[in-house]
Amino acid sequence: MPSIDVRAAATDSSSGAAQPAPGDLAGAVAAAVATVRRNAAAFGTRYPDSTTRENLYPLRPATAEFAEGANRDWTTSFWPGMQWLAVELTGDADLRASALAHAADFARRVHAGEDLDTHDLGFLYTLSSVNAWRLAGDAAARDAALAAADHLMTRFLPSAGIIQAWGDLSDPAQRGRTIVDSLMNMPLLTWATETTGDGRYADVVARHVVQVRTHLLRDDDSTFHTFYWDPESGQPLRGATEQGAGDDSCWARGQAWGIYGFALHHRTSGDVASLRAAERCADYFLAHLPADGVPFWDLVYTDGSDAPRDSSAAAIAACGLLELASVSHDAGTAARYEAAGREMLAALVAGYTPGPDQASDALLLHAVYDAPKGKGVDEGCLWGDYYYLEALTRLTLPGWVSPWWPATPADDGTDGGNA
């Protein structure tokens, strides 16, 4: 697949080189890749924290169990995920080596059983290990991704038909709950079925998505963040939120996960109900945007509010809208969603990326991690940076193959995929 030459333009702003013009797609890619390169050199084999502090990423803090910069929590894979995108865009051998080193660390993590009590194994092992398998033919990464898929299957609750969200399931308080984000963890299980021929993984995906579609997507086309089932009987109990403004509001990032996750499920399953669910999520999201096209952290807020924006929700939604356009059955509908995705990305490029005078190592500014808890508010974040670069990659590389789709691995360990 052809790649664009961003090496010359991707220079450090400290060198005095002219920065890309706002709204220039190639310039935006160049600036993003330059930041990924600088961060890769700065962090080495260690991991940045989930969000910036005053727009700069610190190392992931140490805990009683983990050293500073260790591979823990649900967000670390967005970092090698960005490196793989940059490899696909440029063929950069140093970033490829860095991404493969991270893949080895993710293999170590899953085989050691470290910090695996989460449904976010899909995020963690799709972007780290599945990418290393499909783009570099790394057999150890393939085995790690399958081990992660098997561990994710242990979170399936047959009585309710759901993959349970997070926490130690021996604790009754952690059982019987899923969240809308879970849709983006299903591609790992879909990939596992495609890779092994074992239909168990895909069967769980099908049951889980139906439950999310039925109970988390509300009649007005907004979404609950969380939903609870009785773990013994499987009876649905109630919707709620962990990170939204209220149980009945619509958390912006959750709605964006709905757009993207349902669209991906339609692509891999052909389930028309999931296509319709993605369209409903998209239409609600687009109808509740402020004038500049980048949402507040909860869609309950409108123009005139002083609530923080969430650029990461816009980046996810932009990817979801482009995905939805690519699977739509109607040319006019596809064009509408593609235009909306392009406009949202353009708004991010123009108004939410660091300028030449801003000290930041994030790709995107003005994101929100968890507003109710005051966590990562008006900062950069790893997932926002990842999905921003994914959206740029989608529009830069014709025929780009997404890591969220089942895909054929590289033929050898020296070149692979789109690079």
Side-chain angles (χ1 to χ4, degrees):
M1 177 174 293
S3 62
I4 64 170
D5 183 7
V6 300
R7 294 175 182 82
T11 54
D12 192 323
S13 60
S14 65
S15 69
Q19 292 301 293
D24 178 351
L25 186 64
V29 172
V33 169
T35 299
V36 172
R37 284 187 173 126
R38 289 194 300 271
N39 288 348
F43 289 107
T45 59
R46 296 189 291 178
Y47 294 85
D49 203 5
S50 298
T51 68
T52 61
R53 294 178 197 163
E54 297 182 356
N55 296 322
L56 294 170
Y57 283 109
L59 282 169
R60 196 157 291 250
T63 69
E65 294 181 75
F66 296 98
E68 184 181 49
N71 186 359
R72 63 172 183 84
D73 204 12
W74 70 277
T75 63
T76 46
S77 64
F78 294 113
W79 176 219
M82 281 183 259
Q83 295 180 28
W84 283 118
L85 290 172
V87 169
E88 293 183 273
L89 286 161
T90 69
D92 188 305
D94 290 338
L95 286 177
R96 186 178 187 279
S98 177
L100 284 169
H102 285 300
D105 190 52
F106 274 87
R108 180 206 56 77
R109 175 175 171 175
V110 72
H111 294 312
E114 291 182 358
D115 197 19
L116 303 181
D117 286 339
T118 176
H119 68 142
D120 288 322
L121 293 168
F123 282 125
L124 290 167
Y125 283 86
T126 297
L127 294 181
S128 62
S129 301
V130 172
N131 259 339
W133 165 241
R134 72 183 188 92
L135 295 175
D138 186 330
R142 173 189 181 274
D143 292 345
L146 289 173
D150 286 338
H151 196 86
L152 182 54
M153 289 284 281
T154 68
R155 302 190 70 82
F156 183 62
L157 180 63
S159 63
I162 59 165
I163 293 280
Q164 296 165 100
W166 59 71
D168 180 354
L169 296 181
S170 65
D171 176 359
Q174 305 299 329
R175 300 184 65 210
R177 168 185 56 197
T178 200
I179 62 175
V180 68
D181 318 34
S182 65
L183 293 168
M184 291 300 298
N185 291 300
M186 296 302 102
L188 178 66
L189 299 182
T190 302
W191 171 85
T193 282
E194 293 287 331
T195 300
T196 66
D198 187 340
R200 291 180 305 116
Y201 306 101
D203 290 345
V204 164
V205 171
R207 288 191 64 189
H208 178 83
V209 172
V210 167
Q211 291 292 71
V212 173
R213 208 167 59 211
T214 302
H215 296 290
L216 277 77
L217 181 56
R218 297 185 284 223
D219 290 344
D220 69 352
D221 300 338
S222 66
T223 52
F224 286 116
H225 179 196
T226 68
F227 200 91
Y228 293 81
W229 284 260
D230 182 282
E232 303 304 326
S233 69
Q235 288 298 306
L237 298 176
R238 67 189 186 282
T241 194
E242 286 288 333
Q243 291 172 244
D247 289 346
D248 294 324
S249 72
C250 185
W251 179 49
R253 194 159 78 245
Q255 193 76 7
W257 294 133
I259 300 169
Y260 203 173
F262 283 127
L264 286 170
H265 184 250
H266 173 67
R267 175 184 288 278
T268 57
S269 70
D271 189 336
V272 176
S274 283
L275 175 63
R276 179 58 187 139
E279 292 171 341
R280 290 172 60 193
C281 287
D283 291 346
Y284 187 95
F285 191 94
L286 293 171
H288 290 79
L289 291 175
D292 76 345
V294 175
F296 293 97
W297 68 275
D298 193 292
L299 297 180
V300 72
Y301 301 110
T302 58
D303 275 318
S305 172
D306 61 357
R309 303 300 183 95
D310 184 5
S311 62
S312 76
I316 296 161
C319 290
L321 289 163
L322 294 171
E323 177 70 22
L324 181 54
S326 74
V327 298
S328 176
H329 299 177
D330 176 78
T333 301
R336 178 167 66 89
Y337 289 133
E338 179 172 348
R342 287 177 176 271
E343 290 170 7
M344 196 167 294
L345 180 59
L348 291 174
V349 171
Y352 290 78
T353 54
D357 298 326
Q358 289 176 284
S360 179
D361 55 7
L363 275 60
L364 275 185
L365 305 175
H366 309 307
V368 171
Y369 186 166
D370 188 337
K373 299 178 184 67
K375 185 176 181 179
V377 176
D378 196 24
E379 294 284 358
C381 64
L382 290 179
W383 59 91
D385 287 358
Y386 170 80
Y387 284 102
Y388 172 68
L389 187 54
E390 183 186 301
L392 289 171
T393 303
R394 280 177 173 269
L395 296 183
T396 299
L397 295 181
W400 177 73
V401 176
S402 169
W404 311 107
W405 310 338
T408 303
D411 292 331
D412 56 58
T414 60
D415 191 15
N418 306 316

